[in-house]
Amino acid sequence: MNAPRTRVQRRPVHGVLLLDKPLGFSSNDALQKAKWLLRAEKAGHTGTLDPLASGVLPLCFGAATKFSQLQLDADKTYEAVVRLGVKTRTGDAEGDVVEERAVDVDAARLAAAVPRFVGEIEQTPPMYSALKREGKALYEYAREGIEVERAARRVHIRTLDARLEAPSPGVHEVHLRVRCSKGTYIRTLGEDIGEALGCGGHLTLLRRVATGHFGVAQALTLAALESLDEAARLARLLPVESLLPDHTRVTLAGDDAARFLSGVRRRGHWADAPAVAVFGARPAALLGTAHAKAGELIPGRLLSPIEIQQVLEQQESTTPPSAHRAATKETL
Protein backbone atom coordinates (compact mmCIF):
# COMPACT_ATOMS: atom_id res chain seq x y z
CA MET A 1 0.00 0.00 0.00
CA ASN A 2 1.32 3.47 -0.90
CA ALA A 3 2.22 5.78 1.96
CA PRO A 4 -0.06 8.83 2.27
CA ARG A 5 1.30 11.95 0.60
CA THR A 6 2.51 14.67 2.93
CA ARG A 7 0.47 17.83 2.49
CA VAL A 8 2.66 20.89 1.94
CA GLN A 9 1.72 23.92 4.01
CA ARG A 10 1.82 26.81 1.53
CA ARG A 11 2.89 30.32 2.51
CA PRO A 12 3.24 33.76 0.90
CA VAL A 13 6.58 34.02 -0.90
CA HIS A 14 7.62 37.07 -2.94
CA GLY A 15 10.52 37.54 -5.34
CA VAL A 16 12.28 36.15 -8.40
CA LEU A 17 14.17 32.87 -8.62
CA LEU A 18 16.60 32.52 -11.51
CA LEU A 19 16.43 28.84 -12.35
CA ASP A 20 18.81 26.97 -14.64
CA LYS A 21 16.15 24.68 -16.11
CA PRO A 22 17.37 21.13 -16.71
CA LEU A 23 16.87 19.12 -19.88
CA GLY A 24 13.71 17.03 -19.96
CA PHE A 25 11.64 19.39 -17.81
CA SER A 26 8.91 21.57 -19.25
CA SER A 27 8.84 25.13 -17.94
CA ASN A 28 5.75 24.25 -15.91
CA ASP A 29 7.38 21.09 -14.49
CA ALA A 30 10.32 23.20 -13.30
CA LEU A 31 8.01 25.86 -11.89
CA GLN A 32 5.92 23.36 -9.92
CA LYS A 33 9.04 21.73 -8.46
CA ALA A 34 10.49 25.08 -7.35
CA LYS A 35 7.09 26.19 -6.02
CA TRP A 36 6.89 22.99 -3.95
CA LEU A 37 10.43 23.43 -2.58
CA LEU A 38 9.65 27.01 -1.53
CA ARG A 39 6.12 26.11 -0.29
CA ALA A 40 4.93 29.14 -2.25
CA GLU A 41 1.26 30.03 -2.62
CA LYS A 42 1.50 31.80 -5.98
CA ALA A 43 4.02 31.48 -8.81
CA GLY A 44 4.43 31.80 -12.56
CA HIS A 45 7.20 31.46 -15.13
CA THR A 46 8.25 34.06 -17.68
CA GLY A 47 7.98 32.25 -20.99
CA THR A 48 8.13 28.67 -22.20
CA LEU A 49 11.48 26.95 -22.59
CA ASP A 50 11.27 23.64 -24.47
CA PRO A 51 11.91 20.39 -22.53
CA LEU A 52 14.89 19.77 -24.85
CA ALA A 53 16.34 23.17 -23.92
CA SER A 54 18.18 24.12 -20.75
CA GLY A 55 19.10 27.48 -19.31
CA VAL A 56 17.91 30.52 -17.46
CA LEU A 57 14.19 30.64 -16.60
CA PRO A 58 13.11 33.44 -14.24
CA LEU A 59 10.35 32.24 -11.92
CA CYS A 60 8.14 34.86 -10.29
CA PHE A 61 6.59 34.37 -6.86
CA GLY A 62 3.82 36.33 -5.17
CA ALA A 63 3.94 40.05 -5.95
CA ALA A 64 6.58 39.48 -8.65
CA THR A 65 3.96 37.79 -10.86
CA LYS A 66 2.41 41.24 -11.38
CA PHE A 67 5.48 42.27 -13.40
CA SER A 68 6.31 38.99 -15.16
CA GLN A 69 5.12 40.36 -18.52
CA LEU A 70 8.27 42.50 -18.62
CA GLN A 71 10.38 39.34 -18.81
CA LEU A 72 8.01 37.74 -21.31
CA ASP A 73 8.64 40.72 -23.60
CA ALA A 74 12.42 40.86 -23.01
CA ASP A 75 15.04 39.84 -25.58
CA LYS A 76 16.51 36.36 -25.16
CA THR A 77 20.01 35.02 -25.85
CA TYR A 78 20.59 31.40 -26.87
CA GLU A 79 23.47 29.10 -27.68
CA ALA A 80 22.59 26.32 -30.11
CA VAL A 81 24.15 23.60 -32.23
CA VAL A 82 22.81 22.71 -35.70
CA ARG A 83 23.77 19.32 -37.17
CA LEU A 84 24.08 19.83 -40.92
CA GLY A 85 23.00 17.34 -43.58
CA VAL A 86 20.25 15.68 -41.56
CA LYS A 87 16.64 16.87 -41.37
CA THR A 88 14.22 15.54 -38.76
CA ARG A 89 10.45 15.64 -38.47
CA THR A 90 10.58 17.90 -35.39
CA GLY A 91 13.58 20.06 -36.33
CA ASP A 92 15.53 18.71 -33.35
CA ALA A 93 17.24 15.52 -32.21
CA GLU A 94 14.01 14.05 -30.83
CA GLY A 95 12.35 13.58 -34.23
CA ASP A 96 12.72 10.85 -36.84
CA VAL A 97 15.16 11.49 -39.68
CA VAL A 98 13.26 12.44 -42.84
CA GLU A 99 16.12 13.43 -45.16
CA GLU A 100 19.90 13.25 -45.44
CA ARG A 101 22.03 15.32 -47.81
CA ALA A 102 25.71 15.80 -48.53
CA VAL A 103 27.37 18.75 -46.80
CA ASP A 104 29.59 21.06 -48.83
CA VAL A 105 30.03 24.08 -46.58
CA ASP A 106 33.02 26.16 -45.56
CA ALA A 107 33.47 29.17 -43.30
CA ALA A 108 33.15 31.63 -46.18
CA ARG A 109 29.84 30.16 -47.34
CA LEU A 110 28.47 30.25 -43.79
CA ALA A 111 29.60 33.87 -43.35
CA ALA A 112 27.81 34.79 -46.59
CA ALA A 113 24.57 33.15 -45.43
CA VAL A 114 24.39 34.65 -41.93
CA PRO A 115 23.47 38.29 -42.82
CA ARG A 116 20.11 37.26 -44.34
CA PHE A 117 19.03 36.05 -40.87
CA VAL A 118 19.95 39.24 -39.00
CA GLY A 119 17.43 42.01 -38.39
CA GLU A 120 13.68 41.65 -38.89
CA ILE A 121 12.84 38.30 -40.51
CA GLU A 122 9.76 36.16 -41.03
CA GLN A 123 9.37 32.76 -39.40
CA THR A 124 6.65 30.17 -39.75
CA PRO A 125 6.05 28.56 -36.32
CA PRO A 126 6.97 24.85 -36.35
CA MET A 127 4.26 22.23 -35.99
CA TYR A 128 6.14 20.81 -33.02
CA SER A 129 5.62 23.87 -30.81
CA ALA A 130 3.41 24.88 -27.90
CA LEU A 131 1.64 27.56 -29.94
CA LYS A 132 -2.13 27.14 -29.55
CA ARG A 133 -4.68 26.74 -32.35
CA GLU A 134 -8.34 26.58 -31.25
CA GLY A 135 -7.21 25.81 -27.70
CA LYS A 136 -4.93 22.96 -28.73
CA ALA A 137 -1.12 23.02 -28.94
CA LEU A 138 0.32 22.58 -32.44
CA TYR A 139 2.45 19.64 -31.29
CA GLU A 140 -0.75 17.77 -30.39
CA TYR A 141 -1.96 18.11 -33.99
CA ALA A 142 1.50 17.08 -35.24
CA ARG A 143 1.47 13.90 -33.14
CA GLU A 144 -1.87 13.02 -34.76
CA GLY A 145 -0.34 13.51 -38.21
CA ILE A 146 -2.35 16.68 -38.86
CA GLU A 147 -0.65 19.62 -40.56
CA VAL A 148 -2.20 22.98 -39.53
CA GLU A 149 -1.77 26.13 -41.58
CA ARG A 150 0.35 28.66 -39.67
CA ALA A 151 0.76 32.33 -40.49
CA ALA A 152 4.32 33.61 -40.70
CA ARG A 153 5.30 36.04 -37.96
CA ARG A 154 7.93 38.74 -37.86
CA VAL A 155 10.71 38.43 -35.28
CA HIS A 156 13.92 40.37 -34.75
CA ILE A 157 17.36 38.78 -34.65
CA ARG A 158 19.53 41.38 -32.90
CA THR A 159 22.85 39.54 -33.26
CA LEU A 160 23.84 36.20 -34.78
CA ASP A 161 27.28 34.65 -34.40
CA ALA A 162 27.92 31.38 -36.24
CA ARG A 163 30.94 29.12 -36.66
CA LEU A 164 31.57 25.75 -38.31
CA GLU A 165 32.72 22.77 -36.26
CA ALA A 166 33.56 19.17 -37.18
CA PRO A 167 33.49 17.24 -33.88
CA SER A 168 34.05 13.88 -35.59
CA PRO A 169 34.64 12.53 -39.12
CA GLY A 170 31.61 13.09 -41.32
CA VAL A 171 29.81 15.27 -38.75
CA HIS A 172 29.37 18.96 -39.59
CA GLU A 173 27.87 21.43 -37.13
CA VAL A 174 27.09 25.12 -36.94
CA HIS A 175 27.45 26.60 -33.45
CA LEU A 176 25.17 29.61 -32.94
CA ARG A 177 24.86 32.40 -30.43
CA VAL A 178 21.66 34.36 -31.00
CA ARG A 179 20.16 37.42 -29.31
CA CYS A 180 16.58 37.79 -30.47
CA SER A 181 13.14 39.16 -29.74
CA LYS A 182 10.45 37.20 -27.95
CA GLY A 183 8.64 34.61 -30.05
CA THR A 184 11.72 33.56 -32.04
CA TYR A 185 11.96 29.83 -32.75
CA ILE A 186 15.62 28.81 -32.66
CA ARG A 187 14.76 25.37 -34.11
CA THR A 188 13.24 27.10 -37.13
CA LEU A 189 16.27 29.40 -37.40
CA GLY A 190 18.57 26.36 -37.35
CA GLU A 191 16.54 24.59 -40.04
CA ASP A 192 16.45 27.73 -42.20
CA ILE A 193 20.21 28.20 -41.94
CA GLY A 194 20.65 24.56 -42.98
CA GLU A 195 18.45 25.14 -46.03
CA ALA A 196 20.35 28.32 -46.92
CA LEU A 197 23.54 26.23 -46.91
CA GLY A 198 21.93 23.71 -49.25
CA CYS A 199 22.11 20.69 -46.97
CA GLY A 200 19.40 21.06 -44.32
CA GLY A 201 19.93 20.53 -40.63
CA HIS A 202 18.39 20.07 -37.22
CA LEU A 203 19.04 21.33 -33.71
CA THR A 204 20.97 19.06 -31.35
CA LEU A 205 21.49 21.50 -28.48
CA LEU A 206 19.68 24.57 -27.22
CA ARG A 207 20.58 26.58 -24.13
CA ARG A 208 19.17 29.94 -23.07
CA VAL A 209 22.00 31.95 -21.57
CA ALA A 210 20.16 35.23 -20.93
CA THR A 211 16.69 36.71 -20.74
CA GLY A 212 16.65 40.47 -20.53
CA HIS A 213 19.30 41.49 -18.00
CA PHE A 214 19.28 38.10 -16.23
CA GLY A 215 22.14 35.74 -17.15
CA VAL A 216 22.54 32.02 -16.62
CA ALA A 217 25.61 32.60 -14.43
CA GLN A 218 23.22 33.97 -11.78
CA ALA A 219 20.90 30.97 -12.02
CA LEU A 220 20.48 28.01 -9.68
CA THR A 221 19.74 24.42 -10.68
CA LEU A 222 16.82 22.51 -9.19
CA ALA A 223 19.29 20.08 -7.58
CA ALA A 224 21.15 22.96 -5.93
CA LEU A 225 17.88 24.51 -4.72
CA GLU A 226 16.78 21.18 -3.28
CA SER A 227 20.07 20.80 -1.39
CA LEU A 228 19.52 24.06 0.54
CA ASP A 229 17.60 24.41 3.76
CA GLU A 230 14.40 26.45 3.74
CA ALA A 231 15.97 29.72 4.88
CA ALA A 232 18.74 29.46 2.28
CA ARG A 233 16.17 28.83 -0.47
CA LEU A 234 14.33 32.01 0.45
CA ALA A 235 17.61 33.91 0.55
CA ARG A 236 18.24 33.02 -3.12
CA LEU A 237 15.18 34.98 -4.22
CA LEU A 238 15.87 38.31 -5.90
CA PRO A 239 13.62 41.21 -4.82
CA VAL A 240 10.51 42.01 -6.84
CA GLU A 241 12.11 45.23 -8.08
CA SER A 242 14.83 43.22 -9.85
CA LEU A 243 12.24 42.92 -12.65
CA LEU A 244 12.29 46.72 -13.07
CA PRO A 245 15.94 47.60 -13.87
CA ASP A 246 15.12 50.23 -16.50
CA HIS A 247 12.40 51.97 -14.51
CA THR A 248 13.01 55.45 -13.14
CA ARG A 249 12.96 55.31 -9.34
CA VAL A 250 10.64 57.62 -7.41
CA THR A 251 10.23 57.64 -3.63
CA LEU A 252 7.05 58.86 -1.94
CA ALA A 253 6.64 59.67 1.74
CA GLY A 254 3.72 59.49 4.14
CA ASP A 255 0.35 60.52 2.76
CA ASP A 256 1.59 60.59 -0.85
CA ALA A 257 2.64 56.94 -0.60
CA ALA A 258 -0.70 55.92 0.94
CA ARG A 259 -2.74 57.74 -1.69
CA PHE A 260 -0.64 56.39 -4.54
CA LEU A 261 -1.14 52.88 -3.18
CA SER A 262 -4.90 53.54 -3.31
CA GLY A 263 -4.59 54.30 -7.03
CA VAL A 264 -4.69 58.09 -6.72
CA ARG A 265 -2.46 60.17 -9.00
CA ARG A 266 0.14 62.35 -7.31
CA ARG A 267 1.40 65.73 -8.48
CA GLY A 268 5.06 66.71 -8.30
CA HIS A 269 8.09 67.90 -10.22
CA TRP A 270 8.76 64.68 -12.07
CA ALA A 271 10.07 64.62 -15.61
CA ASP A 272 8.00 62.66 -18.08
CA ALA A 273 8.93 58.98 -17.89
CA PRO A 274 7.14 55.98 -19.44
CA ALA A 275 8.25 53.51 -16.77
CA VAL A 276 8.60 54.39 -13.08
CA ALA A 277 9.20 52.16 -10.05
CA VAL A 278 7.59 53.79 -7.01
CA PHE A 279 8.86 53.14 -3.48
CA GLY A 280 7.71 54.19 -0.05
CA ALA A 281 10.16 56.16 2.09
CA ARG A 282 9.65 54.57 5.52
CA PRO A 283 9.77 51.68 5.30
CA ALA A 284 11.63 51.53 2.00
CA ALA A 285 9.49 49.13 -0.03
CA LEU A 286 8.26 48.84 -3.60
CA LEU A 287 4.70 50.13 -3.95
CA GLY A 288 4.26 49.47 -7.67
CA THR A 289 4.82 50.92 -11.11
CA ALA A 290 3.63 54.10 -12.76
CA HIS A 291 4.34 56.54 -15.55
CA ALA A 292 4.99 60.24 -15.16
CA LYS A 293 3.43 62.79 -17.48
CA ALA A 294 2.96 66.55 -17.16
CA GLY A 295 3.97 66.53 -13.50
CA GLU A 296 1.62 63.70 -12.57
CA LEU A 297 2.58 60.26 -11.30
CA ILE A 298 -0.04 57.91 -12.72
CA PRO A 299 -0.35 54.48 -11.02
CA GLY A 300 0.10 51.27 -13.01
CA ARG A 301 0.49 47.85 -11.36
CA LEU A 302 0.30 48.17 -7.57
CA LEU A 303 1.17 45.88 -4.68
CA SER A 304 -1.46 45.44 -2.01
CA PRO A 305 -0.73 46.60 1.56
CA ILE A 306 -0.64 42.96 2.72
CA GLU A 307 1.86 42.06 -0.02
CA ILE A 308 4.10 44.94 1.04
CA GLN A 309 3.93 43.79 4.66
CA GLN A 310 4.77 40.22 3.66
CA VAL A 311 7.71 41.39 1.54
CA LEU A 312 9.11 43.36 4.48
CA GLU A 313 8.67 40.38 6.82
CA GLN A 314 10.40 38.10 4.31
CA GLN A 315 13.30 40.54 3.98
CA GLU A 316 13.57 40.66 7.77
CA SER A 317 13.67 36.87 8.02
CA THR A 318 16.42 36.47 5.40
CA THR A 319 18.67 39.37 6.48
CA PRO A 320 21.70 38.20 8.54
CA PRO A 321 21.78 39.49 12.15
CA SER A 322 25.01 41.43 11.42
CA ALA A 323 23.20 43.36 8.68
CA HIS A 324 20.35 44.15 11.09
CA ARG A 325 22.89 45.57 13.58
CA ALA A 326 24.57 47.65 10.88
CA ALA A 327 21.23 49.05 9.70
CA THR A 328 20.30 49.92 13.30
CA LYS A 329 23.57 51.86 13.79
CA GLU A 330 22.98 53.81 10.56
CA THR A 331 19.57 55.02 11.78
CA LEU A 332 20.73 56.04 15.25
Side-chain angles (χ1 to χ4, degrees), residues 71-294:
Q71 274 302 304
L72 286 167
D73 294 339
D75 283 356
K76 312 293 190 292
T77 303
Y78 297 92
E79 291 179 349
V81 175
V82 182
R83 167 81 182 273
L84 296 179
V86 180
K87 290 189 67 174
T88 70
R89 190 172 304 281
T90 58
D92 56 33
E94 191 176 52
D96 297 331
V97 173
V98 294
E99 185 183 6
E100 294 190 45
R101 283 185 257 172
V103 180
D104 181 18
V105 179
D106 58 19
R109 190 172 175 186
L110 176 61
V114 163
R116 75 182 73 171
F117 298 102
V118 178
E120 200 170 77
I121 66 171
E122 282 198 346
Q123 282 192 331
T124 300
M127 278 301 301
Y128 282 88
S129 68
L131 191 66
K132 295 276 178 69
R133 177 73 175 269
E134 296 180 354
K136 189 174 177 179
L138 289 183
Y139 65 76
E140 295 182 77
Y141 290 106
R143 287 170 181 169
E144 296 169 5
I146 301 171
E147 182 85 9
V148 176
E149 187 175 345
R150 291 98 66 205
R153 56 169 63 176
R154 299 196 72 79
V155 297
H156 203 121
I157 307 296
R158 316 289 185 194
T159 61
L160 175 58
D161 298 320
R163 72 178 191 277
L164 276 176
E165 297 285 345
S168 61
V171 176
H172 305 273
E173 296 176 345
V174 176
H175 289 230
L176 302 175
R177 186 178 176 93
V178 187
R179 185 167 70 86
C180 55
S181 66
K182 71 170 183 176
T184 302
Y185 288 98
I186 306 301
R187 274 184 301 156
T188 300
L189 179 65
E191 288 185 299
D192 290 346
I193 288 173
E195 289 303 318
L197 296 172
C199 57
H202 70 277
L203 224 62
T204 60
L205 180 145
L206 180 59
R207 182 159 173 79
R208 188 157 70 190
V209 295
T211 170
H213 64 293
F214 294 131
V216 75
Q218 305 165 269
L220 191 69
T221 65
L222 278 174
L225 183 66
E226 193 164 13
S227 71
L228 301 175
D229 62 31
E230 196 163 84
R233 289 172 190 166
L234 273 181
R236 288 305 301 259
L237 291 176
L238 300 175
V240 176
E241 56 264 30
S242 67
L243 294 169
L244 313 173
D246 300 322
H247 284 53
T248 301
R249 181 167 176 146
V250 165
T251 300
L252 299 177
D255 187 56
D256 274 335
R259 287 181 175 274
F260 175 82
L261 203 54
S262 298
V264 179
R265 299 183 180 196
R266 310 313 300 144
R267 292 205 62 82
H269 300 289
W270 299 292
D272 286 2
V276 179
V278 183
F279 291 78
R282 289 181 180 274
L286 179 69
L287 305 180
T289 58
H291 67 278
K293 186 174 182 180

Side-chain angles (χ1 to χ4, degrees), residues 12-15 234 237 309-318:
V13 172
H14 302 278
L234 273 181
L237 291 176
Q309 183 60 38
Q310 289 168 352
V311 167
L312 292 170
E313 289 171 356
Q314 183 176 305
Q315 289 173 348
E316 182 78 12
S317 69
T318 57

